[in-house]
Amino acid sequence: MKSISILAAAGIALLSSTAAFAGDVRIMWYSDGVEGQVFKDLIAKFQKDNPDIKVTVDEVAYSTIKEQLPVQLAAGNGPDIARVTNLKSLSQYWLDLTPYLKDAEFWKKNYGDQLDWMRPDGSNIIPGFMTQITLTGGFINKTLFDQAGVAVPGEKATWDEWVAASAKVAKSQQVPYAFAIDRSGHRITGPAISYGANYIGKDGMPAPLDDAAKKYLTQLIKWNADGVSDKDVWVSASGTTYKPAADDFINAQVVMYYAGSWQIPNFMTKIGTNFDWVAIGSPCGPAACTGMPGGAGLVAMKDTKNPKDVAKVMDFLASTPIAKEFAERTLFLPSNKEVVAGGLDFKTDNKFAKEALNTFVKATTTTAPEALKLPGWKWSDTYYGALVSRVGQAMAGEMTADEAFKRIDSDIAEKVKAAK
Amino acid sequence: MKANGLLSASQSVLMAVVSRVMGIVDVPLRYLQRKAGQNGMAAFFLAPNMAIFAVFVLVPFVINFVYSLTGGSAIFLSERSFVGAEQYREIFACGNYLDPNTCKQDVFWIAAGNTAAFVVLQVSLMIVAALITALILNREIIGRGFWRAVFFFPVLLSPVVTGLIWRWIFQRQGVLNAVMQGLGLEPHDWLTERNSAFFASIGVSIWAHVGFYTLILLAGLQAIPKDLYEAAQMDGTSRSRVFWRITLPLLMPNLIVVLVLALIRAVQIFDEAFVLTHGGPGTSTMYLVQYIYETGFASELRNPGLAAAASILMGAVLVVLTLVQMAASRRSEKKGAR
């Protein structure tokens, strides 16, 4: 009898892990900073008012979202809702929430500007909403600049000027590296566009790497070879592995760090008052001073067994008061237009965080049109993946920059061919 | 006495249960034997094992092979197009097999080269390390049980834990560099320099598995009759001669087992090396299983067909190694019989 009970319990556990019961909503969530806790608080509020719907939040690493979620979705075993950054390339898996929403017009009005980022080309579905809008940009350790007596470059300073100034600081303060940039194709694309790069061909398909992109990437490889940029980030990994340099910046191991607005709450929590950290926006290249827009979206899955319950959860999370609370507590830039229009009272006394938020809001005005197109472009992730793996190999000395450029073009062409 | 009485009582209960069960199954089994004959009964008893083998080995192998003949990024076979041997042609499209840069799938050949180098170095160093450790632990040393546990302990660790521990040791701000700086030495970028990252992955792998192979060799050493050593001692044979003429030949069957097991495991290297180096710097510690994983699951646009073809090729290498093991075992058994 006992063994039968054990078997029954095991069976139920197995079923619950693979299939949703009516009233169950499973959310896959990753966090950059404190937003996981905020999100769970908001879900608790939802649960209080909707006891008939059981919401489970599975907190996972970002790499799980990047590497495992696509496979789960392809196999039809995904969660009901997920927080995702590669919104466009996986858009065939998203559910059209339109028939289930309380007021689809509210969604179109408030989240409409980014819906194309998460829709298949030519579609008008409402699959979800952006939990935050992000913009890539740099941060510096101002304390190190002050201690070194090096002037902080001005607003229109170029990449070369920023890296040169950071190198002076690093040398003076015996910091291992002057500069770090995340191991990510998205991250290096802002600077590449500042140099004049354009990835999209006239036919809307991926264009071969242009001279401007090659010029920036050559410079990036050289900074790495010269020991100016943080080798640990790009060289100590292979393939398309994503690797942030945030911990090196937090531990004052680099002077300047190029990441994005999503790091503000992380730095506020982890750096605290250990040193003065300042957001600098995006350094300039010959063509622009642009960062890359992006963000994370919460999307519903086509394979869900409970679309009505999923829509109820999504309606709640996208509602203006909840989106406002989420933005104010996480210090994320909101995408809900009503929230933006109503103004925000970010819940922080940290002056560095407040100044950084203002810097990023200001930097949105200099975002290049080429950068604005990429979040809604189907081939962005293919391009980013080829850039990361081959530039990483060139930095490790396995191939020359020219060989890497040829491989990037052939890798992208091959993937386009394979997708047909 | 009381304990023995209790044991007898429980044994009696057990025997009663067994005999009752046997009584129940006896009738249908007798009937089956009459119908199926002796060979049929053998097949009947083998069936559960064969079913498990089929479900967990044979069927996945066949499915994998079918995947290797299909193209596209879809997961379900029904959504994939048949491309024949295209994935194999992709892999073998090379100007010069010794120069991966001339190959269409250059990373596959880099990973294959890395794996070959890893296997040769790791297996030879592992066997030497396991042999030395076993010889030491076979002697009457103080705290022998403790030292045996110390060497075996890493085998019990999860490969991910092993990789993380050593990553914290080797990373730029890790324990090793802190110790070196404490000794007045220059710190070294262990995981961002090609050779040191490669040797770090070998060292960590040896550390993680040497205990298991030591145990096999230790069992072999303890099975060698003591009187052979006593006779050698009486004859005044030198220690090195005893090792080369008695210990090593009699340990050979165990060494062959260790060699083949270590070879097969080394070809499959993935988890601890992946956590330790992520395949870097560049692709210098990317081994075949990581290539298969990245191609099939982790890249921006997955290619399960190519990953399946690569795994079939790797499987072929493992089959060859297994055949070598079987041949070597048979030879060793024959020698023993003579």
Side-chain angles (χ1 to χ4, degrees), chain B residues 75-240:
Chain B
I75 290 281
F76 292 118
L77 266 178
S78 56
E79 296 164 13
R80 298 179 59 78
S81 53
F82 180 78
V83 296
E86 184 60 34
Q87 306 288 11
Y88 295 94
R89 273 197 289 274
E90 275 278 310
I91 289 175
F92 286 104
C94 268
N96 172 7
Y97 289 112
L98 296 176
D99 179 7
N101 281 331
T102 63
C103 299
K104 207 170 169 193
Q105 293 299 328
D106 59 329
V107 182
F108 171 85
W109 290 101
I110 291 171
N114 289 344
T115 308
F118 179 88
V119 167
V120 170
L121 285 168
Q122 194 257 15
V123 172
S124 46
L125 292 172
M126 169 90 86
I127 289 176
V128 172
L131 185 59
I132 292 171
T133 316
L135 286 169
I136 293 169
L137 294 180
N138 196 38
R139 300 175 69 138
E140 295 294 332
I141 54 171
I142 299 166
R144 188 164 67 165
F146 169 75
W147 291 113
R148 283 180 184 178
V150 165
F151 279 98
F152 192 72
F153 178 70
V155 179
L156 303 175
L157 291 178
S158 146
V160 175
V161 173
T162 301
L164 277 176
I165 290 171
W166 283 97
R167 192 171 177 83
W168 291 330
I169 291 171
F170 282 127
Q171 66 192 10
R172 194 180 68 229
Q173 292 171 282
V175 178
L176 186 56
N177 275 343
V179 171
M180 285 174 70
Q181 279 175 308
L183 296 171
L185 299 168
E186 277 290 304
H188 181 72
D189 284 337
W190 299 101
L191 299 179
T192 54
E193 201 274 311
R194 295 173 59 80
N195 289 332
S196 58
F198 178 68
F199 282 102
S201 72
I202 289 176
V204 170
S205 175
I206 291 174
W207 179 84
H209 303 292
V210 74
F212 175 68
Y213 300 112
T214 298
L215 214 64
I216 296 175
L217 295 181
L218 199 54
L221 284 173
Q222 286 174 353
I224 298 174
K226 292 270 185 297
D227 49 0
L228 289 176
Y229 291 112
E230 285 163 11
Q233 202 178 9
M234 285 169 72
D235 289 345
T237 315
S238 69
R239 276 189 172 189
S240 64

Side-chain angles (χ1 to χ4, degrees), chain A residues 93-106:
Chain A
Y93 300 113
W94 307 156
L95 171 74
D96 182 10
L97 287 164
T98 313
Y100 308 105
L101 293 173
K102 222 188 295 172
D103 180 6
E105 284 310 308
F106 166 85

Side-chain angles (χ1 to χ4, degrees), chain A residues 327-371:
Chain A
E328 286 177 343
R329 287 178 62 191
T330 57
L331 309 188
F332 284 154
L333 307 178
S335 62
N336 182 312
K337 280 187 180 168
E338 270 181 14
V339 173
V340 176
L344 286 141
D345 175 22
F346 286 114
K347 305 285 182 229
T348 177
D349 295 329
N350 187 307
K351 67 171 183 163
F352 303 119
K354 280 194 165 173
E355 280 170 19
L357 283 164
N358 288 332
T359 304
F360 275 103
V361 170
K362 200 175 160 196
T364 56
T365 57
T366 61
T367 308
E370 291 82 4

